[in-house]
CSV table of all heavy atoms in Angstrom, one decimal:
chain,number,residue,atom,x,y,z
A,225,LEU,N,-6.8,-4.3,14.9
A,225,LEU,CA,-7.3,-5.0,13.6
A,225,LEU,C,-8.6,-4.5,13.2
A,225,LEU,O,-8.9,-4.3,12.0
A,225,LEU,CB,-7.3,-6.6,13.9
A,225,LEU,CG,-6.0,-7.3,14.1
A,225,LEU,CD1,-6.2,-8.7,14.4
A,225,LEU,CD2,-5.2,-7.2,12.7
A,226,ALA,N,-9.5,-4.4,14.1
A,226,ALA,CA,-10.8,-3.9,13.7
A,226,ALA,C,-10.7,-2.5,13.1
A,226,ALA,O,-11.4,-2.2,12.1
A,226,ALA,CB,-11.7,-3.7,15.0
A,227,LEU,N,-9.8,-1.7,13.6
A,227,LEU,CA,-9.6,-0.3,13.1
A,227,LEU,C,-9.1,-0.4,11.7
A,227,LEU,O,-9.5,0.3,10.8
A,227,LEU,CB,-8.8,0.5,14.0
A,227,LEU,CG,-8.5,2.0,13.7
A,227,LEU,CD1,-9.9,2.7,13.7
A,227,LEU,CD2,-7.6,2.6,14.6
A,228,GLN,N,-8.1,-1.3,11.5
A,228,GLN,CA,-7.6,-1.4,10.2
A,228,GLN,C,-8.5,-1.9,9.1
A,228,GLN,O,-8.5,-1.4,8.1
A,228,GLN,CB,-6.4,-2.5,10.2
A,228,GLN,CG,-5.1,-2.1,11.0
A,228,GLN,CD,-4.6,-0.7,10.6
A,228,GLN,OE1,-4.4,-0.5,9.4
A,228,GLN,NE2,-4.4,0.2,11.4
A,229,ASP,N,-9.4,-2.7,9.6
A,229,ASP,CA,-10.5,-3.2,8.7
A,229,ASP,C,-11.3,-2.0,8.3
A,229,ASP,O,-11.6,-1.8,7.0
A,229,ASP,CB,-11.4,-4.2,9.4
A,229,ASP,CG,-10.9,-5.6,9.3
A,229,ASP,OD1,-9.9,-5.7,8.5
A,229,ASP,OD2,-11.5,-6.4,9.9
A,230,GLU,N,-11.7,-1.2,9.1
A,230,GLU,CA,-12.6,0.0,8.8
A,230,GLU,C,-11.8,0.9,8.0
A,230,GLU,O,-12.4,1.4,7.0
A,230,GLU,CB,-13.1,0.6,10.1
A,230,GLU,CG,-14.1,0.0,10.9
A,230,GLU,CD,-15.4,-0.4,10.2
A,230,GLU,OE1,-15.7,0.4,9.2
A,230,GLU,OE2,-16.2,-1.2,10.6
A,231,LEU,N,-10.6,1.1,8.4
A,231,LEU,CA,-9.8,2.1,7.5
A,231,LEU,C,-9.6,1.6,6.1
A,231,LEU,O,-9.6,2.4,5.2
A,231,LEU,CB,-8.5,2.4,8.2
A,231,LEU,CG,-8.6,3.2,9.5
A,231,LEU,CD1,-7.3,3.4,10.1
A,231,LEU,CD2,-9.3,4.5,9.2
A,232,SER,N,-9.4,0.2,6.0
A,232,SER,CA,-9.2,-0.2,4.6
A,232,SER,C,-10.5,-0.2,3.8
A,232,SER,O,-10.4,0.1,2.6
A,232,SER,CB,-8.5,-1.5,4.6
A,232,SER,OG,-9.5,-2.5,4.9
A,233,THR,N,-11.7,-0.2,4.5
A,233,THR,CA,-12.9,-0.1,3.8
A,233,THR,C,-13.0,1.3,3.4
A,233,THR,O,-13.4,1.6,2.3
A,233,THR,CB,-14.1,-0.4,4.8
A,233,THR,OG1,-13.9,-1.6,5.4
A,233,THR,CG2,-15.3,-0.5,4.0
A,234,LEU,N,-12.6,2.2,4.2
A,234,LEU,CA,-12.7,3.7,4.0
A,234,LEU,C,-11.7,4.0,2.8
A,234,LEU,O,-12.1,4.7,1.8
A,234,LEU,CB,-12.3,4.5,5.1
A,234,LEU,CG,-12.6,6.0,5.1
A,234,LEU,CD1,-14.1,6.2,5.1
A,234,LEU,CD2,-12.1,6.6,6.4
A,235,THR,N,-10.5,3.4,2.8
A,235,THR,CA,-9.5,3.7,1.8
A,235,THR,C,-10.1,3.2,0.3
A,235,THR,O,-10.1,3.9,-0.6
A,235,THR,CB,-8.3,2.9,2.0
A,235,THR,OG1,-7.9,3.3,3.3
A,235,THR,CG2,-7.2,3.2,1.0
A,236,LYS,N,-10.7,2.0,0.5
A,236,LYS,CA,-11.3,1.4,-0.8
A,236,LYS,C,-12.3,2.3,-1.3
A,236,LYS,O,-12.5,2.7,-2.5
A,236,LYS,CB,-11.8,0.0,-0.5
A,236,LYS,CG,-11.4,-0.9,-1.6
A,236,LYS,CD,-11.9,-2.4,-1.4
A,236,LYS,CE,-12.2,-2.9,-0.1
A,236,LYS,NZ,-12.6,-4.3,0.1
A,237,ALA,N,-13.2,2.8,-0.4
A,237,ALA,CA,-14.3,3.7,-0.8
A,237,ALA,C,-13.8,4.9,-1.4
A,237,ALA,O,-14.3,5.3,-2.5
A,237,ALA,CB,-15.3,4.1,0.4
A,238,MET,N,-12.8,5.6,-0.8
A,238,MET,CA,-12.2,6.8,-1.4
A,238,MET,C,-11.6,6.5,-2.7
A,238,MET,O,-11.7,7.3,-3.7
A,238,MET,CB,-11.3,7.4,-0.4
A,238,MET,CG,-12.0,8.0,0.8
A,238,MET,SD,-11.0,9.1,1.8
A,238,MET,CE,-9.6,7.9,2.3
A,239,GLU,N,-10.9,5.5,-2.8
A,239,GLU,CA,-10.1,5.2,-4.0
A,239,GLU,C,-11.0,4.9,-5.2
A,239,GLU,O,-10.8,5.5,-6.3
A,239,GLU,CB,-9.3,3.9,-3.7
A,239,GLU,CG,-7.8,3.9,-4.3
A,239,GLU,CD,-7.0,2.8,-3.5
A,239,GLU,OE1,-7.6,1.8,-3.3
A,239,GLU,OE2,-5.9,3.1,-3.3
A,240,GLU,N,-12.0,4.2,-4.9
A,240,GLU,CA,-13.0,3.9,-6.0
A,240,GLU,C,-13.8,5.2,-6.4
A,240,GLU,O,-14.0,5.4,-7.5
A,240,GLU,CB,-14.1,3.0,-5.5
A,240,GLU,CG,-13.6,1.6,-5.5
A,240,GLU,CD,-14.7,0.6,-5.1
A,240,GLU,OE1,-15.8,1.0,-4.8
A,240,GLU,OE2,-14.4,-0.6,-5.1
A,241,ASN,N,-14.0,6.0,-5.4
A,241,ASN,CA,-14.7,7.2,-5.7
A,241,ASN,C,-13.8,8.1,-6.6
A,241,ASN,O,-14.3,8.6,-7.6
A,241,ASN,CB,-15.0,8.0,-4.4
A,241,ASN,CG,-15.5,9.4,-4.5
A,241,ASN,OD1,-14.7,10.2,-5.0
A,241,ASN,ND2,-16.8,9.6,-4.3
A,242,LEU,N,-12.7,8.2,-6.3
A,242,LEU,CA,-11.8,9.1,-7.0
A,242,LEU,C,-11.5,8.5,-8.4
A,242,LEU,O,-11.4,9.2,-9.4
A,242,LEU,CB,-10.4,9.4,-6.3
A,242,LEU,CG,-10.7,10.1,-5.0
A,242,LEU,CD1,-9.3,10.3,-4.2
A,242,LEU,CD2,-11.3,11.5,-5.2
A,243,GLY,N,-11.4,7.1,-8.4
A,243,GLY,CA,-11.1,6.5,-9.7
A,243,GLY,C,-12.3,6.5,-10.6
A,243,GLY,O,-12.2,6.7,-11.8
A,244,GLY,N,-13.4,6.6,-10.0
A,244,GLY,CA,-14.7,6.6,-10.8
A,244,GLY,C,-15.4,7.9,-10.8
A,244,GLY,O,-16.7,8.0,-10.8
A,245,LEU,N,-14.5,8.9,-10.6
A,245,LEU,CA,-15.2,10.2,-10.3
A,245,LEU,C,-16.2,10.6,-11.4
A,245,LEU,O,-17.2,11.2,-11.1
A,245,LEU,CB,-14.1,11.2,-10.4
A,245,LEU,CG,-14.5,12.6,-9.6
A,245,LEU,CD1,-14.6,12.2,-8.2
A,245,LEU,CD2,-13.3,13.6,-9.8
A,246,ARG,N,-16.0,10.2,-12.7
A,246,ARG,CA,-16.9,10.6,-13.7
A,246,ARG,C,-18.3,9.9,-13.5
A,246,ARG,O,-19.3,10.5,-13.8
A,246,ARG,CB,-16.3,10.2,-15.1
A,246,ARG,CG,-15.3,11.3,-15.6
A,246,ARG,CD,-14.6,10.9,-16.7
A,246,ARG,NE,-13.5,11.8,-16.9
A,246,ARG,CZ,-13.6,12.9,-17.8
A,246,ARG,NH1,-14.7,13.0,-18.4
A,246,ARG,NH2,-12.7,13.7,-17.9
A,247,VAL,N,-18.2,8.7,-13.0
A,247,VAL,CA,-19.5,8.0,-12.8
A,247,VAL,C,-20.2,8.7,-11.6
A,247,VAL,O,-21.4,9.0,-11.6
A,247,VAL,CB,-19.3,6.6,-12.4
A,247,VAL,CG1,-20.6,5.9,-12.1
A,247,VAL,CG2,-18.5,5.8,-13.5
A,248,VAL,N,-19.4,9.0,-10.5
A,248,VAL,CA,-20.0,9.7,-9.5
A,248,VAL,C,-20.7,11.0,-9.8
A,248,VAL,O,-21.9,11.3,-9.5
A,248,VAL,CB,-18.9,10.0,-8.3
A,248,VAL,CG1,-19.5,10.8,-7.2
A,248,VAL,CG2,-18.3,8.7,-7.8
A,249,ARG,N,-19.9,11.8,-10.7
A,249,ARG,CA,-20.5,13.1,-11.1
A,249,ARG,C,-21.7,12.8,-12.1
A,249,ARG,O,-22.6,13.6,-12.1
A,249,ARG,CB,-19.5,13.9,-11.7
A,249,ARG,CG,-18.4,14.3,-10.6
A,249,ARG,CD,-17.6,15.5,-11.0
A,249,ARG,NE,-16.6,15.6,-10.0
A,249,ARG,CZ,-15.8,16.7,-9.9
A,249,ARG,NH1,-15.8,17.5,-10.8
A,249,ARG,NH2,-15.0,16.8,-8.9
A,250,ALA,N,-21.5,11.9,-12.9
A,250,ALA,CA,-22.6,11.6,-13.9
A,250,ALA,C,-23.9,11.4,-13.3
A,250,ALA,O,-24.9,11.7,-13.8
A,250,ALA,CB,-22.2,10.4,-14.8
A,251,PHE,N,-23.8,10.7,-12.1
A,251,PHE,CA,-25.1,10.4,-11.5
A,251,PHE,C,-25.3,11.4,-10.3
A,251,PHE,O,-26.2,11.1,-9.5
A,251,PHE,CB,-25.0,8.9,-11.0
A,251,PHE,CG,-25.2,7.9,-12.1
A,251,PHE,CD1,-24.1,7.1,-12.4
A,251,PHE,CD2,-26.3,7.9,-12.9
A,251,PHE,CE1,-24.1,6.2,-13.4
A,251,PHE,CE2,-26.4,6.9,-13.9
A,251,PHE,CZ,-25.3,6.2,-14.2
A,252,ALA,N,-24.6,12.4,-10.3
A,252,ALA,CA,-24.7,13.4,-9.2
A,252,ALA,C,-24.8,12.8,-7.8
A,252,ALA,O,-25.6,13.0,-7.0
A,252,ALA,CB,-25.9,14.3,-9.4
A,253,ALA,N,-23.8,11.8,-7.6
A,253,ALA,CA,-23.9,11.0,-6.4
A,253,ALA,C,-22.9,11.5,-5.3
A,253,ALA,O,-22.7,10.7,-4.3
A,253,ALA,CB,-23.6,9.6,-6.7
A,254,GLN,N,-22.5,12.7,-5.4
A,254,GLN,CA,-21.5,13.2,-4.4
A,254,GLN,C,-22.1,13.1,-3.0
A,254,GLN,O,-21.3,12.7,-2.0
A,254,GLN,CB,-21.1,14.6,-4.7
A,254,GLN,CG,-20.2,14.8,-5.9
A,254,GLN,CD,-21.0,15.2,-7.0
A,254,GLN,OE1,-22.2,14.8,-7.2
A,254,GLN,NE2,-20.4,16.0,-7.9
A,255,ALA,N,-23.4,13.5,-2.7
A,255,ALA,CA,-24.0,13.5,-1.4
A,255,ALA,C,-24.0,12.0,-0.9
A,255,ALA,O,-23.6,11.8,0.3
A,255,ALA,CB,-25.3,14.1,-1.4
A,256,HIS,N,-24.4,11.2,-1.8
A,256,HIS,CA,-24.3,9.8,-1.4
A,256,HIS,C,-23.0,9.3,-1.0
A,256,HIS,O,-22.9,8.6,0.0
A,256,HIS,CB,-24.9,8.9,-2.7
A,256,HIS,CG,-24.7,7.5,-2.6
A,256,HIS,ND1,-25.5,6.7,-1.8
A,256,HIS,CD2,-23.9,6.7,-3.3
A,256,HIS,CE1,-25.1,5.5,-1.9
A,256,HIS,NE2,-24.2,5.4,-2.8
A,257,GLU,N,-22.0,9.7,-1.7
A,257,GLU,CA,-20.7,9.2,-1.5
A,257,GLU,C,-20.2,9.8,-0.1
A,257,GLU,O,-19.4,9.1,0.7
A,257,GLU,CB,-19.7,9.6,-2.5
A,257,GLU,CG,-19.9,8.8,-3.8
A,257,GLU,CD,-19.4,7.5,-3.8
A,257,GLU,OE1,-18.3,7.3,-3.3
A,257,GLU,OE2,-20.0,6.5,-4.2
A,258,LEU,N,-20.5,11.1,0.1
A,258,LEU,CA,-20.1,11.6,1.4
A,258,LEU,C,-20.8,11.0,2.6
A,258,LEU,O,-20.3,10.8,3.6
A,258,LEU,CB,-20.3,13.2,1.4
A,258,LEU,CG,-19.2,14.0,0.6
A,258,LEU,CD1,-19.6,15.4,0.6
A,258,LEU,CD2,-17.9,13.8,1.2
A,259,ALA,N,-22.0,10.6,2.4
A,259,ALA,CA,-22.8,10.0,3.4
A,259,ALA,C,-22.1,8.6,3.7
A,259,ALA,O,-22.0,8.2,4.9
A,259,ALA,CB,-24.2,9.7,3.0
A,260,ARG,N,-21.6,8.0,2.7
A,260,ARG,CA,-21.0,6.8,2.9
A,260,ARG,C,-19.7,7.0,3.7
A,260,ARG,O,-19.4,6.2,4.6
A,260,ARG,CB,-20.6,6.1,1.5
A,260,ARG,CG,-20.3,4.7,1.5
A,260,ARG,CD,-20.6,4.0,0.2
A,260,ARG,NE,-19.7,4.3,-0.8
A,260,ARG,CZ,-19.0,3.3,-1.4
A,260,ARG,NH1,-19.1,2.1,-1.0
A,260,ARG,NH2,-18.0,3.6,-2.3
A,261,TYR,N,-19.0,8.0,3.4
A,261,TYR,CA,-17.7,8.3,4.1
A,261,TYR,C,-18.1,8.5,5.6
A,261,TYR,O,-17.4,8.0,6.5
A,261,TYR,CB,-17.0,9.6,3.5
A,261,TYR,CG,-15.9,10.1,4.4
A,261,TYR,CD1,-14.6,9.7,4.0
A,261,TYR,CD2,-16.0,10.9,5.4
A,261,TYR,CE1,-13.5,10.1,4.7
A,261,TYR,CE2,-15.0,11.3,6.2
A,261,TYR,CZ,-13.7,11.0,5.8
A,261,TYR,OH,-12.6,11.3,6.6
A,262,ASP,N,-19.1,9.3,5.7
A,262,ASP,CA,-19.4,9.5,7.2
A,262,ASP,C,-19.8,8.3,8.0
A,262,ASP,O,-19.5,8.2,9.1
A,262,ASP,CB,-20.6,10.5,7.2
A,262,ASP,CG,-20.1,12.0,6.8
A,262,ASP,OD1,-18.9,12.2,6.9
A,262,ASP,OD2,-21.1,12.8,6.4
A,263,THR,N,-20.6,7.5,7.3
A,263,THR,CA,-21.0,6.2,8.0
A,263,THR,C,-19.8,5.4,8.4
A,263,THR,O,-19.5,5.0,9.6
A,263,THR,CB,-21.8,5.3,7.1
A,263,THR,OG1,-22.7,6.1,6.4
A,263,THR,CG2,-22.5,4.3,7.9
A,264,ILE,N,-18.9,5.1,7.4
A,264,ILE,CA,-17.7,4.3,7.7
A,264,ILE,C,-16.8,5.1,8.7
A,264,ILE,O,-16.2,4.5,9.6
A,264,ILE,CB,-16.8,4.0,6.5
A,264,ILE,CG1,-17.8,3.4,5.4
A,264,ILE,CG2,-15.7,3.1,6.8
A,264,ILE,CD1,-17.1,3.3,4.0
A,265,GLY,N,-16.7,6.4,8.4
A,265,GLY,CA,-15.8,7.3,9.3
A,265,GLY,C,-16.2,7.2,10.8
A,265,GLY,O,-15.5,7.1,11.7
Side-chain angles (χ1 to χ4, degrees):
Chain A
L225 288 173
L227 186 60
Q228 290 309 310
D229 271 357
E230 290 295 346
L231 288 180
S232 75
T233 313
L234 194 63
T235 304
K236 224 179 337 184
M238 292 194 296
E239 226 161 30
E240 281 184 0
N241 170 290
L242 298 178
L245 203 66
R246 279 168 190 269
V247 180
V248 174
R249 295 198 183 185
F251 291 113
Q254 288 99 326
H256 167 69
E257 290 286 316
L258 281 178
R260 197 150 81 116
Y261 175 93
D262 288 339
T263 318
I264 308 171

